[in-house]
Amino acid sequence: SGQSNLTDDSKGDTNPAWSPDGATIAFASNRGDKGNWQIYTMNADGTNVKRLTGSDSTSSNPTWAPDGSQIAFESNRNGSYDILAMNADGSDQHHVAGGAANDTSPAWSPDGSTILFSSTRTGGGDLYAVRPDGTGLTRITSSTATEDDPAWVPAQPQEVAFSGGATGGGDLYLATVGGRSVHRTTTSPALDADPAWSPDGSRIAFASARTGGGDVYTIPAAGGPAHRVTTGDGEDGSPSWSPDGTRIAFTSDRAGNADVYTIDPHRSGLARLTDDRGFDGDSAWGPGASGIAFASDRAGTMDIWTMRADGSHPRRLTMNAAADSHPAWSPDGTRIAFQRVHDGNTDVFVVVVATRAVRRLTTDPAFDGDPAWDPNDRIAFVSTRSRNREIWSVRPNGTGLSLIVHHRGPDVDPAWAPPR
């Protein structure tokens, strides 16, 4: 199943945080003799457990410095919750930020110069930044709402395209990772959905019902008029660019059944790749010579398949009674993320292309699906775990869960921008 139980204690273990080199996990546990939550570390396989903090107070929410030398955490050892830091071996524990209010949820910046945290020092819950030595305290947000659990964007800000609107669709939007900058890209009264970035990041392909049916369009990423790519009867959707940007794969029922087609972005060279009585769709073009992944029920259940770019050599990757769909390739072409509907729930899984080994990434009872793999090896997905449909991300090993786009309308169909 790809899941391993690393701790097996009668008490609670929580707040796991991987070290930057992946060799160590910091976590909080109340396994001690006094039952207080303290910070521990262990090897990635669960061995060599070490207690780093120890007092009659609570210490939790560890977060690693990017060089792995220090761990920041929250503790109420001085009465209210404060932000503290220590060396990775537990030595030199020192105060970073605190006071009469509660300071919690520390998050270290990618360059190691700053620690973000949430604070009630202004009465509500706002985000603050401070240097690891406790100097340079700065208020980041000022809102009547409660703001908590900050997560830094990568060193190079990334963009996510998504479809948003009052009913879970509507128009295309672009958001900087972290959701601090969201702007609308299309303004059609019809549904615009399924965004897909061109390899050079200059254009976005998408599906739209603006002409009455469903067709594939492209639009400049910087904004501008939409260009219609497909025409004809039937519904066309789920576009995906070839690695060289010369073709777009898409799903269409123009021949009476859902199949995978490709076309030149300038409307020429339409080619049908699949011709099966079952459903073939959700096509995703892989990097390099990886081929095209797609969802199909040709074997009786909805599974993830791959084929060459010309439609030959179809290969079934998942074999499960559940429904698997929405494949998304890893940047190196070795893995595919997908959504699986099982036992009345929808979660994100990953399958290794060479071995067909499957790993489950999300376990929340809410909807988690529609994954999109980013160039820096993170997976964005749609989730209702915060009640609204929003964009979250997770690492391929299931750690590092974070909300990356918070937007007023339901957000669906995330698509990462390529490096530019």
Side-chain angles (χ1 to χ4, degrees), residues 282 294-297 301-304 317-327 338-342 347 349 358:
D282 293 345
F294 63 102
S296 178
D297 62 359
T301 57
M302 189 67 71
D303 292 302
I304 304 300
L317 293 187
T318 64
M319 304 174 190
N320 194 283
D324 299 338
S325 60
H326 293 79
F338 62 95
Q339 77 175 40
R340 170 170 287 178
V341 181
H342 61 111
D347 285 299
F349 288 71
V358 174

Side-chain angles (χ1 to χ4, degrees), residues 6-32:
L6 298 184
T7 65
D8 187 10
D9 193 88
S10 59
K11 299 297 181 67
D13 299 326
T14 189
N15 301 147
W18 285 90
S19 63
D21 63 4
T24 307
I25 300 173
F27 64 101
S29 177
N30 64 351
R31 61 177 64 196

Side-chain angles (χ1 to χ4, degrees), residues 100-118:
N102 287 319
D103 296 337
T104 59
S105 304
W108 223 300
S109 67
D111 64 1
S113 66
T114 307
I115 298 174
L116 272 182
F117 63 95
S118 177

Side-chain angles (χ1 to χ4, degrees), residues 118-180:
S118 177
S119 179
T120 60
R121 59 185 64 203
T122 53
D126 286 304
L127 301 185
Y128 287 75
V130 66
R131 298 189 187 100
D133 63 2
T135 63
L137 180 68
T138 304
R139 187 177 181 180
I140 302 298
T141 65
S142 177
S143 172
T144 56
T146 297
E147 293 160 341
D148 200 359
D149 299 329
W152 284 90
V153 304
Q156 295 296 321
Q158 294 173 279
E159 285 184 300
V160 176
F162 63 94
S163 177
T167 59
D171 287 302
L172 300 187
Y173 292 79
L174 295 183
T176 302
V177 173
R180 296 182 62 84

Side-chain angles (χ1 to χ4, degrees), residues 198 203 205 215-218 227-231 236 239-242 244-250 254 261-273 285 309:
S198 63
R203 298 189 71 83
D215 288 299
V216 174
Y217 291 75
T218 66
H227 167 72
R228 188 176 180 183
V229 177
T230 67
T231 59
D236 301 336
S240 176
W241 295 80
S242 64
D244 61 4
T246 63
R247 305 285 293 175
I248 296 175
F250 64 98
R254 60 181 58 208
Y261 294 74
T262 64
I263 193 171
D264 182 282
H266 304 291
R267 292 190 183 182
S268 64
L270 179 68
R272 183 176 182 177
L273 300 189
W285 217 308

Side-chain angles (χ1 to χ4, degrees), residues 70-94:
Q70 296 186 75
I71 297 173
F73 61 100
E74 65 184 51
S75 177
N76 65 354
R77 62 183 59 179
N78 295 321
S80 58
Y81 278 92
D82 297 329
I83 304 300
L84 290 88
M86 59 184 168
N87 292 332
D89 62 1
S91 62
D92 189 26
Q93 297 186 21
H94 59 278

